[in-house]
Amino acid sequence: MVENHSSTAGPTGAAQAQAAAADLPAPARPVLEAPDIARVLTRIAHEIVERAKGADDVVLLGIPTRGVFLARRLADKLTGITGRPTQVGSLDITMYRDDLRLHPPRALARTEIPGDGVDGRLVVLVDDVLFSGRTIRAALDALGDIGRPRAVQLAVLVDRGHRELPIRADYVGKNLPTSLRETVKVLLAEEDGRDSVLLGQKESRNDSRQDAHGGPGADARSDAPAR
Amino acid sequence: MKRHLISAADLTRDDALLVLDTAEEMARVADRPIKKLPTLRGRTVVNLFFEDSTRTRISFEAAAKRLSADVINFSAKGSSVSKGESLKDTALTLEAMGADAVVIRHPSSGAPHRLAASGWINASVVNAGDGTHEHPTQALLDAFTLRRHLSGPGRDLNGRRITVVGDVLHSRVARSNVLLLTTLGAEVTLVAPPTLLPIGVERWPCQVSYDLDAVLAKSDAVMMLRVQRERMNAAFFPTEREYARRYGLDGLRMAALPEHAIVMHPGPMNRGMEITAEVADSPRCTAVEQVANGVSTRMAVLYLLLGGSEPAVAPAAATAATRTEESK
């Protein structure tokens, strides 16, 4: 099952991205492959250690589904760099979404906060694709009910633009200018059998999302604004 | 899921597993410093109780409040019902107040079904116990408790042997449990004196026995039912002592259970009648845990009925995917 980060609505439509979309082939095209993803995560891990001056109090919280796997991979890399075990967990944002009333209720994913909690620590939220920013807004609300971190940062594998809220990422794997008619799919070995980031075209011109009823395994969450 | 929860038979296996898996996550909210979720903000849940209840009413109230819904409690005592207002007029009043869900307990079997099927209201109807008919959320919380002890998250109760003992005739808990636990793959055995078994029990999807000692050793869980003396208008057994001796659970009988087996009771308990104090206070008795699980289970039901644009769908593939994900 594939999480399909596509959008139908957004305040901005980047003209150059629209133009770029015209030359894209119809089938999804890989923009990052497994070695690229590994390199990108290594770089982000080093950036986290650098900015946190050692990453002593870092807690990585992945946003289900794929953010959790990315958070675990980042934690392994941080542990490799610092030589100390890294706190890692997951944060389900389903109950904090702002579009709950637009769809049938979704199945919930697991929220797993590491033993010491988040109070006074540096929480790094980890997600696969940053799009409208609404998922991160929900994650900040969810985090506020769990504790009071010293600071919150955001790491994403892909930033595809089209923000609808004043939110930006602290660590970005790849900036990917897209049009709203394109889809960004992140595949990870833990869930999909292989690592890849695919850029494709939306299949239908109507505004309903083909994956909106793909089941909770497929879309336990998404950054898309109008699903 | 259907729009209303009237009977445990309304739930398919996938629906039931979706409720239980959702309840599993809801239970974790209870461990947090802020035990509240914003999910049902602006929704109104009416607790419509025509019959006395402690734990079910406060359990539904706590569940709705933890999901940030507005709760209106209505009890027949001190309301216009005592002036003779009909169920229909009460329902129309609730509709006018904008209820999104009505949680109803009623002494008459079928009252929740009437409310749901009549077209009087648009709200989702949740049966919180009707007469001697059904109490589906109790069955769900019992299944949740059983699953935690006997199989684990994401699983059903396939092959587990559950023995339900006591006043089956007057018990809505027994009927809902037989239906739900069977849906989840468990084998249910009812144990009761012949006078306390309902007519037609032979058509229920379960075994029936009159001999408690014969089934104890083969039970993964034994669920003791309360002897409902308030509903007994005839002599169903000679004396309370005789009932307690033949169908009550004491320390000796508990010792005959397999080591992993648990003792359940939906409450309120008649200590000395169907269960001795020794058993009720033993660590194998899950009565208090069942109350805590009731809040999580009812949160799950309210979320799945009210949390979105329509009731949740539980496609078989989705629950299967969740399970494989967890087994990795």
Side-chain angles (χ1 to χ4, degrees), chain A residues 1 65 94-96 100-112 144-146 190-191 215-216, chain B residues 22 25-26 28 32-34 36-39 41 43 67 303-304 307-312 318 321 328:
Chain A
M1 286 189 284
T65 306
T94 309
M95 306 289 274
Y96 292 85
L100 282 169
R101 296 206 181 179
L102 303 178
H103 307 281
R106 298 144 194 271
L108 305 182
R110 177 60 45 98
T111 292
E112 201 89 57
D145 281 356
I146 286 163
E190 295 92 330
E191 176 81 5
Chain B
T22 306
E25 299 309 317
M26 296 293 185
R28 304 168 80 87
R32 308 189 327 191
I34 297 175
K36 208 166 172 81
L37 294 162
T39 315
R41 265 181 68 213
R43 305 257 178 168
L67 290 168
Y303 166 64
L304 294 172
S309 55
E310 55 189 277
K328 267 177 203 166

Side-chain angles (χ1 to χ4, degrees), chain B residues 157-179:
Chain B
L157 294 168
N158 199 15
R160 298 297 169 174
R161 284 173 297 199
I162 318 297
T163 303
V164 180
V165 188
D167 185 358
V168 179
L169 178 64
H170 299 103
S171 176
R172 47 201 177 207
V173 176
R175 186 190 308 261
S176 288
N177 261 306
V178 167
L179 294 170

Side-chain angles (χ1 to χ4, degrees), chain B residues 77-312:
Chain B
K77 272 180 209 147
S79 76
S80 290
V81 171
S82 52
K83 301 176 192 164
E85 189 175 48
S86 68
L87 180 62
K88 178 176 182 178
D89 289 323
T90 306
L92 294 174
T93 306
L94 300 179
E95 178 70 4
M97 288 184 181
D100 294 296
V102 176
V103 176
I104 178 172
R105 165 164 292 192
H106 202 284
S108 303
S109 302
H113 178 263
R114 180 87 179 111
L115 197 60
S118 60
W120 297 330
I121 54 172
N122 287 316
S124 287
V125 176
V126 180
N127 183 359
D130 59 333
T132 59
H133 176 224
E134 286 228 36
H135 193 355
T137 57
Q138 177 72 40
L140 282 165
L141 77 89
D142 288 339
F144 182 84
T145 309
L146 282 166
R147 197 171 76 146
R148 281 206 155 175
H149 285 272
L150 301 179
S151 55
R155 296 255 186 68
D156 61 11
L157 294 168
N158 199 15
R160 298 297 169 174
R161 284 173 297 199
I162 318 297
T163 303
V164 180
V165 188
D167 185 358
V168 179
L169 178 64
H170 299 103
S171 176
R172 47 201 177 207
V173 176
R175 186 190 308 261
S176 288
N177 261 306
V178 167
L179 294 170
L180 182 72
L181 299 180
T182 309
T183 301
L184 288 170
E187 295 163 21
V188 183
T189 305
L190 297 176
V191 180
T195 50
L196 287 177
L197 285 167
I199 293 167
V201 74
E202 63 279 355
R203 290 195 302 275
W204 290 22
C206 62
Q207 308 282 311
V208 175
S209 167
Y210 305 131
D211 184 358
L212 180 56
D213 292 307
V215 295
L216 281 179
K218 295 179 290 187
S219 304
D220 295 305
V222 46
M223 191 182 295
M224 305 307 297
L225 299 174
R226 183 172 65 91
V227 176
Q228 302 198 25
R229 276 175 288 194
E230 78 275 15
R231 292 189 211 276
M232 290 189 181
N233 47 12
F236 289 94
F237 44 80
T239 66
E240 293 188 0
R241 271 190 66 200
E242 184 171 338
Y243 178 87
R245 207 165 49 233
R246 291 203 54 189
Y247 295 100
L249 191 66
D250 56 14
L252 251 128
R253 285 205 167 105
M254 187 168 71
L257 286 167
E259 211 162 290
H260 67 273
I262 57 168
V263 176
M264 304 175 74
H265 196 297
M269 292 191 271
N270 290 326
R271 286 171 182 243
M273 185 78 165
E274 70 268 2
I275 191 166
T276 63
E278 180 196 351
V279 175
D281 296 330
S282 86
R284 297 175 79 174
C285 179
T286 59
V288 178
E289 185 190 330
Q290 283 167 265
V291 176
N293 291 344
V295 177
S296 313
T297 310
R298 287 168 180 130
M299 285 173 78
V301 168
L302 290 174
Y303 166 64
L304 294 172
L305 290 179
L306 299 182
S309 55
E310 55 189 277

Side-chain angles (χ1 to χ4, degrees), chain B residues 9-68:
Chain B
D10 292 342
L11 298 167
T12 64
R13 179 179 171 279
D14 289 320
D15 286 338
L17 285 174
L18 177 64
V19 174
L20 299 184
D21 290 344
T22 306
E24 206 71 57
E25 299 309 317
M26 296 293 185
R28 304 168 80 87
V29 176
D31 302 331
R32 308 189 327 191
I34 297 175
K35 299 176 181 49
K36 208 166 172 81
L37 294 162
T39 315
L40 295 185
R41 265 181 68 213
R43 305 257 178 168
T44 303
V45 175
V46 176
N47 286 328
L48 186 58
F49 277 64
F50 292 93
E51 200 182 75
D52 293 342
S53 161
T54 317
R55 77 205 77 221
T56 305
R57 191 182 57 75
I58 58 177
S59 179
F60 267 110
E61 185 172 350
K65 285 182 170 170
R66 281 194 185 167
L67 290 168
S68 302

